[in-house]
Each structure stands twice: as structure tokens, then as C-alpha cells.
């Protein structure tokens, strides 16, 4: 059990109730729609008032381009973006900021493609191997395959091998992984929190499994802003995340590069005008998360997810995806990190999503961008409930009441 997993989720929710009420009131879109329960934070997170106010204040007082002017507004914007760069490293617990670097991107997908095409591909030679996830988010598979295809077009053949998974849980199989690492293994891509199954993929075990020299790239789209990320403990070489999932505006994100294994990471191409207002929002969002205590946010959403799975497992018409040993509220297996996906045994996931919306519950209901899933095949569909600090036990209970009526 992770340290953040409450022994008694109900007691944890009671302990944090006052703290949570104060934070919930800081989300204008949530308080403006009390008839709705937004349960789709894994797709995009809602924004607290501090972020919205900072965006408006920037746009009406000093909006200018960065790195391209000498007048005060431009200088202020340039300085603000550098502060955001430093804030990203600090928020991630960067153990060596004097050596590492932070690069702004439009989101996780662009960041992973930059690592794949601008950094990894030029290093690979004929016969090299890389290990990547074949059952996580499609954005953490397609860029590595794209790099292999480009190399193949130049006559360089590399092997793209799947990371092993534990049957039944969806976690990486760290015991099987060392046998897949050989002298030509050059790179490993992994996911911090699974976007469908909600599991912490225990990436802190990857370094021991793959050895001290193989670079590791971490898709942290579902962890940054949702739970503490400790770079010193993870010992990975890249962390990539999206700002819009961490309470900032869309079109923002970052690649943190350790800059210790392999050549220096520098995204290719000309660096055009950055998303200045988006990056300003990212800095404020990270400040807000730090002040709110992202560790408490994790404990709150983990406890809510446990409340949902504990009841959902008792409804025979539903199948909860992921580890079946962590469904009970008092389970000793690691609990879900605020993400619960399930299927009705008779209703399609799309139909179930429409039904839930008609009752005021906003959920994701489709193939969930999972690698290997087909968007047009209902068998690959699921309903996903993803939680944040503004969600409440009453919303979970109301959702369960509706689900229980659907035989």
C-alpha cells in the first residue's frame, strides 16, 4: 500500500472535508453549476479562480511577446516565463536544477514526439531496441513507432518491444522486465498513472529493472497536478506533462530533461512565439496546487475512488477495469489514483454515458485513447470517472444511485 492510501477512506474524507469545501468554492464553473458533477478531470481539469484571475490580469496589463522586445511589457513577459520554467522544476522536485532543463510544449503528445524524434531517433543504430507501453495512452506509443518508421525509411531497423504487464492488474511486470533488457536496449518509455485503470504504475521500480544506463521517459499526464511527483525518487530522464490537466489553460505543457544520460535534449526546429498567457496560467496553477497541498489532493481523490469501487463491485451488472484486488475500500493492494473505469454488462458505454449525462454526471465514455483500442468497437469502450479536489462524496453517492437503477 502506498503511504497516501488511506486505511479507512471514509475517515479520510471526513478528516479532509473542511479543507475540501474551501477549495471547491474556488472553482467558479463548479459552483455555477451545482446541478452537474464534473467527473472528467483526466481529460481536462477545471480551473480555480486564481488561474482565471491571473490570465485576465496578464492580458489587460502586460500582454506582449517573450524574448522579442526590450520594452517593459515584453521584458516582464520574458521574465515571467523564465519564472514558470523554474517553477516547473521546483514543483517536480528537481534534484539538480543546475544541470537539468525545462522545455515548454503544447502538451504531453507534442512533448513525447519531441523526445522521440528530436532526441531518441538520431541516436539509434541498426539493431537497437526500445521498450515502450503497448496498452497505455496512444500518445505514449505512436511517437516511438513513428521514430522507428522514420529510421526504417533511412535503412535503419530498430525493434520496438512492448513493456510486460501483470495479468489482471494492468501494472507493469517488473519481475519480467529485466529479462527483456539486453545489450542493445537503448530506451524505455513508461506511464506514471494509467489513464484508464487508474493505477500508479510503480515506475520507481523501473530503474532497478533496466539498469543504471538506460534512459527512461515518463508520461506524467495523469500524475502532475494530481499527486506528488518526486524526481529524486523516480530517477527518470524525461518527465512530460500537459498543463490543462494540471489546472492551467490548454495548449501548455513541459518536458523536464535530466540531461545526464545521452546527449543534451534540445527540441528541433525554430522556436516560435510561445503560448505566453497559457504559460502564465501554468505557473499560477502550480502555485495553487502547492498551496493546496497536492499530497492532500491525492488522498482525497484516492478515497473518493475507493468509495466508488467499493460500492460498484457489489453491483453485478458492472465490470470494473483494472486490478480486482483493490476494489474494496479496505484493500491492501494499491488503490486507484482518482480514476475508475467500468462497463455495464448489457448497455454500451456510449449509451451509459448519455444516461449519466441526463442525470447531471459528466463522464468520459468511449475507447479512452487506449493504445490498441478501436474507437468504433464498443467492446473497447468504457465509462471513466476521473476525480479532482472539487468532487464530493455526495457526487459519488448520487452517481452510484443512478448506476444501481440500470439493470
Amino acid at each position: 500500500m502506498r503511504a497516501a492510501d488511506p486505511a479507512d477512506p471514509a475517515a479520510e474524507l471526513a478528516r479532509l472535508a473542511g479543507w475540501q469545501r474551501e477549495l471547491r468554492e474556488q472553482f467558479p464553473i463548479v459552483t455555477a453549476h451545482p446541478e452537474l458533477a464534473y467527473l472528467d478531470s483526466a481529460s481536462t481539469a477545471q480551473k480555480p479562480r486564481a488561474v482565471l484571475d491571473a490570465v485576465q490580469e496578464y492580458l489587460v496589463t502586460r500582454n506582449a511577446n517573450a524574448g522579442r522586445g526590450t520594452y517593459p511589457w515584453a521584458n516582464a513577459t520574458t521574465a515571467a516565463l523564465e519564472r514558470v520554467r523554474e517553477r516547473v522544476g521546483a514543483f517536480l522536485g528537481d534534484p539538480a536544477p543546475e544541470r537539468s532543463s525545462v522545455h515548454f510544449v503544447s502538451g504531453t503528445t507534442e512533448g513525447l514526439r519531441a523526445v522521440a524524434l528530436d532526441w531518441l531517433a538520431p541516436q539509434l543504430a541498426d539493431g537497437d531496441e526500445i521498450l515502450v507501453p503497448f496498452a497505455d495512452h496512444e500518445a505514449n506509443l505512436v511517437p516511438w513507432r513513428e521514430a522507428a518508421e522514420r529510421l526504417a525509411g533511412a535503412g535503419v531497423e530498430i525493434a520496438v518491444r512492448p513493456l510486460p504487464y501483470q495479468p489482471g492488474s494492468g501494472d507493469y511486470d517488473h519481475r519480467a522486465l529485466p529479462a527483456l533488457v539486453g545489450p542493445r536496449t537503448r530506451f524505455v518509455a513508461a506511464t506514471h498513472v494509467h489513464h484508464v485503470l487508474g493505477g500508479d504504475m510503480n515506475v520507481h521500480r523501473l530503474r532497478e529493472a533496466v539498469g543504471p544506463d538506460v534512459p527512461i521517459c515518463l508520461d506524467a499526464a495523469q500524475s502532475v497536478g494530481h499527486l506528488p511527483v518526486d524526481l529524486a525518487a523516480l530517477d527518470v530522464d524525461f518527465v512530460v506533462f500537459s498543463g490543462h490537466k494540471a489546472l492551467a489553460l490548454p495548449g501548455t505543457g513541459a518536458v523536464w530533461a535530466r540531461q545526464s544520460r545521452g546527449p543534451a535534449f534540445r527540441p528541433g526546429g525554430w522556436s516560435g512565439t510561445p503560448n505566453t498567457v497559457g504559460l502564465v496560467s501554468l505557473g499560477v496553477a502550480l502555485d495553487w496546487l502547492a498551496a493546496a497541498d497536492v499530497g492532500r489532493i491525492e488522498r482525497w481523490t484516492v478515497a473518493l475512488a475507493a468509495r466508488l469501487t467499493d460500492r460498484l463491485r457489489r453491483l453485478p451488472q458492472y465490470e470494473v477495469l483494472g486490478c480486482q484486488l483493490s476494489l474494496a475500500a479496505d484493500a491492501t493492494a494499491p488503490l486507484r489514483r482518482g480514476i475508475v473505469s467500468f462497463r455495464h454488462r448489457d448497455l454500451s458505454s456510449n449509451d451509459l454515458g448519455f444516461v449519466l449525462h441526463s442525470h447531471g454526471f459528466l463522464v468520459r465514455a468511449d475507447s479512452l485513447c487506449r493504445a490498441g483500442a478501436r474507437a468504433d468497437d464498443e467492446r473497447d469502450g468504457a465509462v471513466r470517472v476521473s476525480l479532482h479536489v472539487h468532487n464530493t462524496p455526495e457526487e459519488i453517492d448520487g452517481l452510484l444511485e443512478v448506476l444501481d437503477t440500470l439493470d
Side-chain angles (χ1 to χ4, degrees), residues 11-88:
E12 184 80 313
L13 293 172
R15 279 193 298 269
L16 296 176
W19 163 85
Q20 188 271 343
R21 279 193 297 272
E22 291 184 6
L23 295 185
R24 177 181 168 87
E25 290 300 313
Q26 297 180 40
F27 289 83
I29 196 171
V30 172
T31 57
H33 297 282
E35 77 283 3
L36 299 176
Y38 183 78
L39 302 171
D40 197 21
S41 291
S43 290
T44 196
Q46 299 301 338
K47 320 308 175 192
R49 171 62 68 187
V51 171
L52 301 176
D53 288 347
V55 167
Q56 183 175 22
E57 191 270 342
Y58 169 77
L59 289 175
V60 302
T61 62
R62 61 188 189 280
N63 179 40
N65 211 332
R68 289 166 172 81
T70 57
Y71 54 92
W73 290 359
N75 291 338
T77 297
T78 301
L81 265 56
E82 287 308 306
R83 286 195 296 271
V84 176
R85 203 182 304 275
E86 294 173 0
R87 189 71 187 91
V88 169

Side-chain angles (χ1 to χ4, degrees), residues 8 17 46 49 83 104-105 115 123 155 186 209 260-261 265 279 286 298 316 319 332 343 356 380:
D8 185 346
Q46 299 301 338
R49 171 62 68 187
R83 286 195 296 271
F104 296 133
V105 290
V115 176
Q123 301 180 59
R186 299 289 182 254
S260 66
R261 297 179 180 93
F265 170 71
L279 293 171
L286 297 182
E298 179 189 22
E319 171 198 7
T332 56
R343 298 188 181 106
L356 292 176
D380 287 335

Side-chain angles (χ1 to χ4, degrees), residues 87 241 252 261 263 321:
R87 189 71 187 91
F241 70 94
T252 63
R261 297 179 180 93
L321 307 187

Side-chain angles (χ1 to χ4, degrees), residues 15 42 92 144 205 300 335:
R15 279 193 298 269
L92 299 177
W144 319 115
R205 298 177 181 170
W300 181 262
L335 301 176

Side-chain angles (χ1 to χ4, degrees), residues 232-245:
L234 293 175
D235 193 15
V236 297
D237 298 272
F238 298 95
V239 170
V240 189
F241 70 94
S242 298
H244 74 100
K245 298 179 189 290

Side-chain angles (χ1 to χ4, degrees), residues 198-209:
D200 180 332
M201 303 298 281
N202 292 308
V203 293
H204 62 283
R205 298 177 181 170
L206 287 179
R207 176 57 60 201
E208 181 180 357

